[in-house]
Amino acid sequence: MAILSGKPFEGKKALILGVANERSLAWSIAQHLHEGGAQLAFTYLGDALERRVRPLAESVQAEIIAPCNVADDQQLDALFQQVKDRWGHLDYLIHSVAFANKEDLEGRFVNTSREGFKMAMDISAYSLVATAKRAEPLMEGRNGSIVTLSYYGAEKVVPNYNVMGVAKAALEASVRYLAYDLGTKKIRVNAISAGPVKTLAAAGIRDFRTMLAAAEQKTPLHETISAEDVGALAAFLCSPLGKHMTGCTLYVDSGAHIMGA
Ligand code: IMJ
């Protein structure tokens, strides 16, 4: 962190949703915030992920490690109550959560079921609204920042991304409406649209390696991105350098999104 030197996040509190393992984009964001002096809280979904998340969280002296299924209002209420009891306020909310049924991430989008559509929208888009609402009273007046993760399939057709593309479009629109509502509370809301990275969310995706190779061939920079790049941008967005940026979707994709053919 050359420009963000020193401890820009000293005394700041960050809640991070969506760390699955050490390759997660959310984990890189956590490390950047930790390096800058922030105190961290993490959530996990289920026992399997708890075993992954707990050691990572402990390695950065996390003050809260709590279960949270974002589809469950009661679990969300309990999580934010815990943050309030422990910290009294919050500066940063990192939302790096998405889910669609595996069978909806291959084949034809037209075959998406009502249930599959609802599920993808609920977990991948509405969860930002649900967490922002609960974060708002804790973040009010602190120049805080909410950061979520998106992907280019929100704007243009990426084969197999299907219902996730629709959910990410809803997520990016939600970022704008939330930025408007929360702006009066001095809370900024932005999305990072990241190029493909081999994380758990990409595991088992058909032809993912081909996609990474294509990104290397076709992007202006001829390089795939890393989780580290996402962590750096999130740190920028949380820092005073991003003070007047809100409602944006920012690309970290080696320039992929500017290409026509
Ligand atoms: C996911 C599917 C299809 C194409 C894809 C991806 N490309 C990229 C991803 C090109 C980069 C990864 N991505 C950006 C995602 O948002 C992934 C979300 C996701 C992944 C899974 C896999 C396992 C599962 N459900 C999922 N739900 C969402 O069961």
Side-chain angles (χ1 to χ4, degrees), residues 99-100 102 105 151 158 160-161 164 168 196 201 205 208 211:
F99 187 81
K102 188 98 209 304
L105 296 175
Y151 177 62
V158 174
N160 298 320
Y161 202 57
M164 271 310 306
K168 290 299 193 188
I205 301 301
F208 197 79
M211 245 170 269

Side-chain angles (χ1 to χ4, degrees), residues 25 97-106 120 124 149-153 158-165 168 194-208 211-212:
L25 303 185
V97 179
F99 187 81
N101 289 320
K102 188 98 209 304
E103 66 262 28
D104 291 332
L105 296 175
E106 45 196 36
S124 314
L149 273 296
S150 193
Y151 177 62
Y152 189 59
V158 174
N160 298 320
Y161 202 57
N162 296 0
V163 72
M164 271 310 306
K168 290 299 193 188
V197 186
K198 201 159 185 317
T199 66
L200 190 62
I205 301 301
R206 201 180 293 266
D207 298 329
F208 197 79
M211 245 170 269
L212 285 177

Side-chain angles (χ1 to χ4, degrees), residues 161-229:
Y161 202 57
N162 296 0
V163 72
M164 271 310 306
V166 175
K168 290 299 193 188
L171 180 75
E172 291 181 10
S174 299
V175 162
R176 293 186 282 273
Y177 282 90
L178 289 170
Y180 176 68
D181 281 356
L182 304 193
T184 53
K185 311 285 178 70
K186 300 294 172 206
I187 302 166
R188 296 177 293 106
V189 188
N190 294 286
I192 296 175
S193 185
V197 186
K198 201 159 185 317
T199 66
L200 190 62
I205 301 301
R206 201 180 293 266
D207 298 329
F208 197 79
R209 285 173 60 176
T210 320
M211 245 170 269
L212 285 177
E216 226 169 76
Q217 281 246 312
K218 292 176 186 167
T219 59
L221 293 177
H222 296 289
E223 283 175 356
T224 52
I225 73 145
S226 65
E228 154 79 25
D229 299 321

